[in-house]
Amino acid sequence: MILDHIFNHDPIVATQRYYCMQIQFVIPSDFKLRSFQLSFSHLINAKEKNNTTYMNKSFADNWSNCIKKLSEDRDVHAFRELFNYFSPRIKSFLLKSGGSVSQAEECMQEAMASVWQKAHMFDPTKASAATWIFTIARNKQLDAIRKIRRPEPEDLPWMESKQDDPSESLILQEEQKNLAFAVSKLPKKQRLLIEKAFYGDLSHSKISELTDLPLGTVKSRIRLSIERLRKELGKEI
Amino acid sequence: MIEAKHHIPNEILVAYSTGTLPEAFSIIVACHISLCDKCRVEVEALDAVGGAILTNQEKIDVDEDSFLKTMELISNSNEKILETEKSSKSIYPNPLKNYIGHSEDEIKWKPIGGGIKQSILFNNKDASARLLSIPAGMELPDHSHKGLEMTMVLQGAFSDEVAHFERGDIEIGDDKLTHTPKADPGELCICLVATQAPLVFNNWLPKILQPFIRI
């Protein structure tokens, strides 16, 4: 039935959607396999094999806890941890987005300073720490390096009470970890295309090829989170 | 929140999320996703891809005094607490505030004939954004477009050969579309419109949109 629905449409779109479904179906099972392997290899030397720390089980949630500590206690150690992990990556991202080395360094420092200043606005049920920090770094980069203004949508103010819902934020942080893994495991050509788009370096006609991103579960999680916020907002009014 | 029926094509959302969309069009995207959760989910999911790409970056060296300098930046900034802004009570979503001022009374309307008024919000070499105010029941002369045109209804509604558009809805037009929009009777129709600068011929937006505009 699902396939009928898909193939009733334009054949090119249908093929893209079918491909997209394939990715969504194939990758999750791959995850299980990978995490099974990793739970063992982690004990041996997984870190040496792959220097991306998302292999670490508590990794994603760790960063959202750091931001929470930063927000509540102005905890410099938590900030130092965030800094050690994210600053070399932000700088690398900014360099690939067309900044000079000194611009990238300066812009990274400004982005990390904003992480400190905006820590109280971080909502772990709505975005992962990495996504949230990415949006801060991207906006700094647009401002400082590419001189583009990008209007932001209205905030969805989040409720204090939601802070006490660790399971929701844990699921979201885990899904971000899975997404990072899925992106790293995409066919090389497609992965490079996505990366180029985010470095602002994709010829625009190619953007239309970016239809098969492995985003199914991430979207449903975000949808739930927004729906909950809207409900809470409705109660307030 | 409203249930928009006509949404923003994915390509435009990708360009918005990656920061490559001209500002005039970004204004409309920001306004639309302030009202439309469906497109907001798409944008936030794309942001999550950005987060994934950041996580997957190889580490490169930062300056030795990087952390200290960042702490200096923080201590020099007076620790101002940034608060989230309440959602707009007027028909103009918050992203428009930077362009129209904080009250709708500040909008500078200029008559352009037939009771229709406009207010130009933003204009640069890539594209411009404006508000259009069309009296209830008024029909615009049929017209075509030289580049990409993106319209969002803020108040009232209009119909053309393509469909009926209400608050929050998006209509995309390009050089293939000739239409005669007509405001619904009963209520003043206010739209936010972004248009590509007509003299830019090799711009990319119409090309990437072609598959979507063949309605």
Side-chain angles (χ1 to χ4, degrees):
Chain A
M1 204 173 136
I2 296 171
L3 289 181
D4 279 356
H5 174 71
I6 288 171
F7 289 115
N8 275 338
H9 289 74
D10 176 285
I12 298 169
V13 175
T15 315
Q16 285 169 343
R17 285 199 188 140
Y18 181 68
Y19 184 43
C20 174
M21 284 176 63
Q22 292 273 309
I23 288 183
Q24 282 168 17
F25 289 145
V26 170
I27 283 179
S29 57
D30 189 38
F31 280 153
K32 276 183 200 152
L33 183 64
R34 288 290 300 174
S35 47
F36 179 71
Q37 289 167 341
L38 282 169
S39 55
F40 289 98
S41 58
H42 180 68
L43 294 172
I44 314 164
N45 60 354
K47 266 195 166 173
E48 267 58 50
K49 266 187 178 168
N50 191 328
N51 65 0
T52 40
T53 327
Y54 55 76
M55 303 301 180
N56 184 339
K57 231 183 160 191
S58 62
F59 151 78
D61 199 46
N62 178 34
W63 303 128
S64 66
N65 283 336
C66 281
I67 300 175
K68 197 176 167 191
K69 277 189 213 160
L70 187 57
S71 150
E72 288 170 359
D73 311 321
R74 290 285 173 237
D75 183 333
V76 180
H77 295 293
F79 185 61
R80 179 88 221 199
E81 260 191 75
L82 284 166
F83 192 90
N84 286 348
Y85 182 80
F86 283 103
S87 67
R89 290 173 167 83
I90 294 174
K91 190 172 172 181
S92 165
F93 175 82
L94 294 172
L95 269 177
K96 289 177 186 160
S97 311
S100 67
V101 177
S102 60
Q103 272 178 326
E105 172 71 33
E106 205 174 303
C107 193
M108 173 277 288
Q109 290 173 12
E110 281 174 21
M112 287 308 298
S114 288
V115 167
W116 176 291
Q117 284 152 351
K118 293 181 175 175
H120 64 287
M121 294 163 92
F122 171 66
D123 177 354
T125 65
K126 198 165 163 290
S128 76
T131 297
W132 184 69
I133 292 175
F134 159 76
T135 59
I136 289 177
R138 174 201 57 204
N139 293 350
K140 286 278 172 212
Q141 171 228 4
L142 292 179
D143 258 13
I145 301 175
R146 284 159 60 192
K147 315 275 183 210
I148 298 173
R149 193 148 70 135
R150 178 185 179 276
E152 294 288 318
E154 273 176 17
D155 294 320
L156 287 176
W158 63 288
M159 307 299 136
E160 285 297 320
S161 60
K162 294 206 310 91
Q163 217 171 1
D164 301 317
D165 191 354
S167 61
E168 282 304 320
S169 66
L170 192 67
I171 294 169
L172 191 115
Q173 308 296 318
E174 283 292 313
E175 264 161 19
Q176 176 71 37
K177 186 176 74 175
N178 295 347
L179 177 64
F181 187 72
V183 169
S184 76
K185 290 295 164 199
L186 284 171
K188 193 176 174 196
K189 194 180 157 208
Q190 199 195 359
R191 182 171 51 80
L192 292 179
L193 209 62
I194 293 165
E195 287 173 0
K196 276 184 111 177
F198 278 88
Y199 302 146
D201 187 28
L202 188 61
S203 79
H204 290 107
S205 59
K206 289 242 171 204
I207 282 190
S208 57
E209 291 176 25
L210 289 178
T211 45
D212 37 12
L213 298 173
L215 286 173
T217 48
V218 168
K219 274 188 203 167
S220 52
R221 185 59 43 190
I222 295 171
R223 199 170 295 123
L224 279 177
S225 157
I226 290 180
E227 274 169 17
R228 237 193 331 264
L229 279 175
R230 293 284 188 199
K231 245 184 223 162
E232 291 289 331
L233 277 176
K235 275 188 216 159
E236 266 206 339
I237 294 165
Chain B
M1 192 201 116
I2 43 111
E3 298 277 345
K5 285 188 201 72
H6 303 278
H7 299 277
I8 298 179
N10 202 44
E11 275 81 341
I12 301 259
L13 297 179
V14 172
Y16 175 74
S17 179
T18 56
T20 50
L21 190 66
E23 183 172 344
F25 292 97
S26 288
I27 298 171
I28 298 200
V29 175
C31 287
H32 179 74
I33 64 176
S34 296
L35 304 179
C36 169
D37 286 348
K38 183 176 177 285
C39 291
R40 191 180 188 114
V41 167
E42 298 292 325
V43 168
E44 290 187 8
L46 287 166
D47 288 347
V49 176
I53 287 169
L54 181 64
T55 306
N56 292 345
Q57 289 293 315
E58 286 167 22
K59 291 170 78 166
I60 58 163
D61 288 340
V62 298
D63 291 357
E64 270 177 24
D65 57 354
S66 206
F67 186 72
L68 282 178
K69 277 195 168 164
T70 305
M71 292 309 290
E72 259 174 45
L73 278 178
I74 293 163
S75 57
N76 291 340
S77 67
N78 307 329
E79 285 249 352
K80 57 176 177 199
I81 296 292
L82 302 159
E83 290 301 331
T84 51
E85 210 177 356
K86 289 223 162 76
S87 57
S88 171
K89 296 267 183 285
S90 79
I91 62 159
Y92 303 99
N94 283 343
L96 283 181
K97 278 188 181 165
N98 284 329
Y99 302 90
I100 62 175
H102 279 256
S103 150
E104 54 191 287
D105 304 331
E106 291 174 43
I107 299 172
K108 295 182 188 78
W109 291 107
K110 285 204 174 127
I112 54 171
I116 302 164
K117 290 182 288 182
Q118 75 166 358
S119 171
I120 298 195
L121 303 179
F122 174 84
N123 197 359
N124 75 0
K125 64 176 175 39
D126 295 324
S128 63
R130 73 198 65 211
L131 291 168
L132 269 186
S133 162
I134 308 150
M138 164 78 75
E139 193 170 87
L140 259 65
D142 63 327
H143 62 281
S144 57
H145 312 93
K146 281 185 177 161
L148 177 77
E149 181 182 86
M150 193 154 120
T151 305
M152 173 176 163
V153 181
L154 296 176
Q155 178 186 294
F158 74 85
S159 295
D160 64 8
E161 293 80 347
V162 179
H164 183 241
F165 298 90
E166 295 174 24
R167 176 164 164 82
D169 283 338
I170 297 280
E171 181 172 39
I172 304 271
D174 76 345
D175 48 8
K176 290 188 189 64
L177 175 75
T178 301
H179 64 160
T180 319
K182 186 181 180 188
D184 278 16
E187 191 175 16
L188 182 73
C189 179
I190 298 179
C191 293
L192 174 61
V193 187
T195 16
Q196 259 182 302
L199 292 176
V200 182
F201 292 113
N202 54 355
N203 219 308
W204 55 274
L205 281 162
K207 284 179 201 149
I208 65 158
L209 280 168
Q210 272 164 9
F212 291 91
I213 304 168
R214 244 181 283 126
I215 303 167

